[in-house]
Each structure stands twice: as structure tokens, then as C-alpha cells.
Amino acid sequence: MNAAGVRMVVTRARSRGTGASLQWGGEKAAPLRSGEAAAEGRKSHGPVKRQRKTRRLSVAYEASEGEKGEGPERLQAPSWEPQDWRQQLDNIRTMRSGKDAPVDQLGAEHCFDPSASPKVRRYQVLLSLMLSSQTKDQVTAGAMQRLRARGLTVDSILQMDDSTLGALIYPVGFWRSKVKYIKQTSEILQQHYGGDIPASVAELVALPGVGPKMAHLAMAVAWGTVSGIAVDTHVHRIANRLRWTKKATRSPEDTRRALEEWLPRELWREINGLLVGFGQQTCLPVHPRCQACLNRALCPAARGL
């Protein structure tokens, strides 16, 4: 064989190299396996015959028309979800459309000074959440108003004596313990975060007096990040009454984990305020107003009364 012939064979062999990807009808074929690649290399030294019969090449993943553009990993539907939960949720939205529950005017997102710097606002959000534990929204809002009148910053709290701080936050629940926690947390924030609050749930719950519900709400209100479902006593109670958990849960944290297993993530931000207000106005802890509830025919707890 002359030199020109040798160059021609080599060129053809390279064009069919093992690293090449095949295209067929606009689809990319799967790479050849090592054994097939070796066989192809041996065949390339002989005469190459064109295969006229068309055949479909197998591909690793083929998306349906509705899935194109979403990538290989498809969204997995939850293995379990409560019966009628979408209708129940729509009914609660209807009952809450007036936005006239205490949480709607006095929740954590309404207790900070909007004219303060972002860092101070975040600190005030965290303090309002710490005060809100085992306390009605009206009482928390009153305490925050008194604190803000004194200039509510990390430095002002650290310079304030315990008796003055206690007098300002009284009568929030467990106010003596909260005085201690607020002072300890404020000192940590000053020393380790430059007076700001942490931007992660793990760091927030490590602060004295800060629990998971507060941490998730702080992430949502102060940082604008949805890190999880904030579950308080209202959300815990209503989720169990509606059977929104696969089995009965004993604590708000158990309820949070159970809800996050099936509730679509785009609803995580909304669900806390929606259910808290519903629990304040209709689904009360004692003597719930089932006759006025749009879910009375769908709620397992109401049917059991």
C-alpha cells in the first residue's frame, strides 16, 4: 500500500475513534463500551461498508415531551400524602383571606423597626421570636414596642441591667429565663457575628433560647431564605387534626419532619402564617369552631366530635 493509501486508512480510523459520540435523529447515543471500542478499532483496518438499513440507537435517558428541559433527574412524587389535603388547604386559604388574625398584624415580620439598618432589623426579628415562645402575639408586640422605644440593638441590650430588661419584656411567658437567654445570645452575636445574627439554622439553634421554629422563621423573615417549615403549637395541633402526618406526632419537631416529607416545598413559607392564624381564629385548642369551618366535612377530627 502506498503512503497516500496509508494516510487514507488512518484518517478513516480516527474519524471512527472510540471517544466520538454518535448522533441519530438529533439524539446523542451512549458511549461505546470498552469491548465494543476494541472491536471497532480492529474493523477499521479493513474495508468499510456503509450500513444502509436504519436502526434506532438506544440512549441512556429519553425525556417525554412534558419533561424536556428538566434534565435526567425527574421530580419524585411523595410516596404518601394526606387525603383531600389540597381541598383542605384551599378552604383554609378562603377562611384566612381577610388576613385579620393577630399573627397578621403582630407577627415577627411586623415587630422590627423598618427604619433601622438591615443588621439591626435582623437582630430585632430574632429577639421578637425569642420573646414569642409561649406568649400571645399581642403580648410579644407590646414588649417589642417598649424595647424599641429604648433603642433596641445588641449594644443597648448588653448595657441594660437585668431588672430593667425584665421590666420591659414582662409579662411574656418565662420572662426571667428570657432575660438570661437574651443577654447570653446578644453577647455571642457581638463577639462572634459582629452584632448580626447567624445565617444558618444550625448556628441559630446553637444560640441560648432559640429553638427550631424560631430558627426557620428567622431564616425566612430576616434572611429571606426558606430553610424548613416553622411549626409551633398551632401548626402541630392542626396538622394532627387534619391527619396531615402519616401517624400522630408528639412534638412540633416531629410534625415538622413529617410535613416536610410530603408537602411541596413551594408551600413551606406560606404554611406557618396560614395555619397559625387559622388556629387563632377557628381551629382553637379548646372548643374549636368546627361548625364555622369549611373543612368540617373533610376533617377527621371534626367528624369524630
Coordinates of all heavy atoms in Angstrom, one line a residue, residues 126 130 184-185 188-189 192-194 196-212 214-216 218-219 223 227:
L126 N -35.0 38.4 65.5 CA -34.6 37.3 66.3 C -35.1 37.5 67.8 O -35.7 36.5 68.4 CB -33.1 37.1 66.3 CG -32.6 35.9 67.2 CD1 -33.1 34.6 66.7 CD2 -31.0 35.9 67.2
M130 N -37.7 35.1 70.0 CA -37.3 34.6 71.3 C -38.4 35.0 72.4 O -38.8 34.2 73.2 CB -36.0 35.1 71.8 CG -34.8 34.6 70.9 SD -33.2 35.4 71.4 CE -32.9 34.6 73.0
Q184 N -27.3 36.4 77.0 CA -26.3 35.4 76.5 C -26.2 35.5 75.0 O -25.1 35.5 74.4 CB -26.6 34.0 77.0 CG -26.5 33.9 78.5 CD -27.0 32.5 79.0 OE1 -27.7 31.8 78.3 NE2 -26.6 32.1 80.2
T185 N -27.3 35.4 74.3 CA -27.3 35.4 72.9 C -26.8 36.7 72.3 O -26.0 36.7 71.4 CB -28.8 35.2 72.4 OG1 -29.2 33.9 72.6 CG2 -28.9 35.5 70.9
I188 N -23.0 36.6 72.5 CA -22.5 35.8 71.4 C -22.5 36.5 70.1 O -21.5 36.4 69.3 CB -23.2 34.4 71.4 CG1 -23.0 33.6 72.6 CG2 -22.8 33.6 70.1 CD1 -23.9 32.4 72.8
L189 N -23.6 37.1 69.8 CA -23.7 37.8 68.5 C -22.7 38.9 68.4 O -22.1 39.2 67.3 CB -25.1 38.4 68.3 CG -26.3 37.4 68.3 CD1 -27.6 38.1 68.1 CD2 -26.1 36.4 67.2
H192 N -19.0 37.1 68.1 CA -18.8 36.1 67.0 C -19.4 36.5 65.7 O -19.0 36.0 64.6 CB -19.2 34.7 67.4 CG -18.5 34.2 68.6 ND1 -17.2 33.7 68.6 CD2 -19.0 34.0 69.9 CE1 -16.9 33.3 69.8 NE2 -17.9 33.5 70.6
Y193 N -20.4 37.4 65.7 CA -21.1 37.7 64.4 C -21.1 39.2 64.1 O -21.9 39.7 63.3 CB -22.5 37.2 64.5 CG -22.5 35.7 64.5 CD1 -22.7 35.0 65.8 CD2 -22.4 34.9 63.4 CE1 -22.7 33.6 65.9 CE2 -22.5 33.5 63.5 CZ -22.6 32.9 64.7 OH -22.6 31.5 64.8
G194 N -20.3 40.0 64.8 CA -20.3 41.4 64.6 C -21.6 42.1 64.8 O -21.9 43.1 64.2
D196 N -24.5 40.9 64.2 CA -25.5 40.4 63.3 C -26.0 39.0 63.8 O -25.5 38.5 64.8 CB -25.0 40.2 61.9 CG -26.0 40.4 60.8 OD1 -27.2 40.2 61.1 OD2 -25.7 40.7 59.6
I197 N -26.9 38.4 63.1 CA -27.4 37.1 63.5 C -26.9 36.0 62.5 O -26.6 36.4 61.4 CB -29.0 37.0 63.6 CG1 -29.6 37.0 62.2 CG2 -29.5 38.1 64.5 CD1 -31.1 36.8 62.2
P198 N -26.7 34.8 62.9 CA -26.2 33.8 62.0 C -27.2 33.6 60.8 O -28.4 33.9 60.9 CB -26.2 32.5 62.9 CG -26.2 33.0 64.3 CD -26.9 34.3 64.3
A199 N -26.6 33.1 59.7 CA -27.4 32.9 58.5 C -27.6 31.4 58.2 O -27.8 31.0 57.1 CB -26.7 33.6 57.3
S200 N -27.7 30.6 59.3 CA -27.9 29.2 59.1 C -28.8 28.7 60.3 O -28.6 29.2 61.4 CB -26.7 28.3 58.9 OG -26.0 28.2 60.2
V201 N -29.6 27.6 60.0 CA -30.4 27.1 61.1 C -29.5 26.5 62.2 O -29.7 26.6 63.4 CB -31.3 26.0 60.5 CG1 -32.0 25.2 61.6 CG2 -32.4 26.7 59.6
A202 N -28.4 25.8 61.8 CA -27.6 25.1 62.7 C -27.0 26.1 63.7 O -26.9 25.9 64.9 CB -26.5 24.3 62.0
E203 N -26.5 27.3 63.2 CA -25.9 28.3 64.1 C -27.0 29.0 64.9 O -26.7 29.3 66.1 CB -25.2 29.3 63.3 CG -23.9 28.8 62.6 CD -23.3 29.8 61.7 OE1 -23.8 30.0 60.6 OE2 -22.2 30.3 62.0
L204 N -28.2 29.1 64.4 CA -29.2 29.8 65.1 C -29.7 29.0 66.3 O -29.9 29.5 67.4 CB -30.4 30.1 64.2 CG -30.2 31.3 63.3 CD1 -31.3 31.3 62.2 CD2 -30.3 32.6 64.0
V205 N -29.9 27.7 66.1 CA -30.4 26.8 67.2 C -29.3 26.6 68.3 O -29.6 26.2 69.4 CB -30.9 25.5 66.7 CG1 -32.1 25.7 65.8 CG2 -29.8 24.7 66.0
A206 N -28.1 26.9 67.9 CA -27.0 26.8 68.9 C -27.0 28.0 69.9 O -26.3 28.0 70.9 CB -25.6 26.8 68.2
L207 N -27.8 29.0 69.6 CA -27.9 30.2 70.5 C -28.8 29.9 71.6 O -29.8 29.2 71.5 CB -28.4 31.4 69.7 CG -27.6 31.9 68.5 CD1 -28.3 33.0 67.7 CD2 -26.2 32.5 69.0
P208 N -28.5 30.4 72.8 CA -29.4 30.2 74.0 C -30.8 30.7 73.8 O -31.0 31.9 73.3 CB -28.7 31.0 75.1 CG -27.2 31.1 74.7 CD -27.3 31.2 73.2
G209 N -31.8 29.9 74.0 CA -33.2 30.3 73.9 C -33.7 30.3 72.5 O -34.8 30.8 72.3
V210 N -33.0 29.8 71.6 CA -33.5 29.7 70.2 C -33.8 28.3 69.8 O -32.9 27.5 69.8 CB -32.5 30.4 69.2 CG1 -33.0 30.3 67.8 CG2 -32.2 31.8 69.6
G211 N -35.0 28.0 69.4 CA -35.4 26.6 69.0 C -35.6 26.5 67.5 O -35.5 27.5 66.8
P212 N -35.9 25.3 67.0 CA -36.0 25.1 65.5 C -37.1 26.0 64.9 O -36.9 26.6 63.8 CB -36.4 23.7 65.4 CG -35.9 23.0 66.7 CD -36.0 24.1 67.8
M214 N -38.2 29.0 65.8 CA -37.6 30.4 65.7 C -36.6 30.5 64.7 O -36.5 31.5 63.9 CB -37.0 30.7 67.1 CG -37.9 30.7 68.3 SD -37.0 31.1 69.8 CE -38.0 30.3 71.0
A215 N -35.7 29.4 64.6 CA -34.6 29.5 63.6 C -35.2 29.5 62.1 O -34.7 30.3 61.3 CB -33.7 28.3 63.8
H216 N -36.2 28.7 61.9 CA -36.7 28.6 60.5 C -37.4 29.9 60.2 O -37.4 30.4 59.1 CB -37.6 27.4 60.3 CG -36.9 26.1 60.3 ND1 -36.0 25.8 59.3 CD2 -37.0 25.0 61.1 CE1 -35.5 24.6 59.5 NE2 -36.1 24.1 60.6
A218 N -36.7 32.9 61.6 CA -35.7 33.9 61.4 C -35.0 33.8 60.0 O -34.7 34.9 59.4 CB -34.6 33.7 62.5
M219 N -34.8 32.6 59.5 CA -34.2 32.5 58.2 C -35.2 33.1 57.1 O -34.7 33.7 56.2 CB -34.0 31.0 57.9 CG -32.8 30.4 58.7 SD -31.2 31.1 58.4 CE -31.0 30.7 56.6
W223 N -33.6 36.7 56.7 CA -32.7 36.4 55.6 C -33.4 36.2 54.3 O -32.8 36.1 53.3 CB -31.8 35.3 56.0 CG -30.8 35.5 57.0 CD1 -30.8 35.0 58.3 CD2 -29.7 36.4 57.0 NE1 -29.7 35.5 59.0 CE2 -29.0 36.4 58.2 CE3 -29.1 37.2 56.0 CZ2 -27.9 37.1 58.5 CZ3 -28.0 38.0 56.3 CH2 -27.3 37.9 57.5
S227 N -35.8 27.7 54.8 CA -34.9 26.6 55.3 C -35.7 25.4 55.8 O -35.2 24.3 55.9 CB -34.0 27.1 56.4 OG -34.8 27.6 57.5

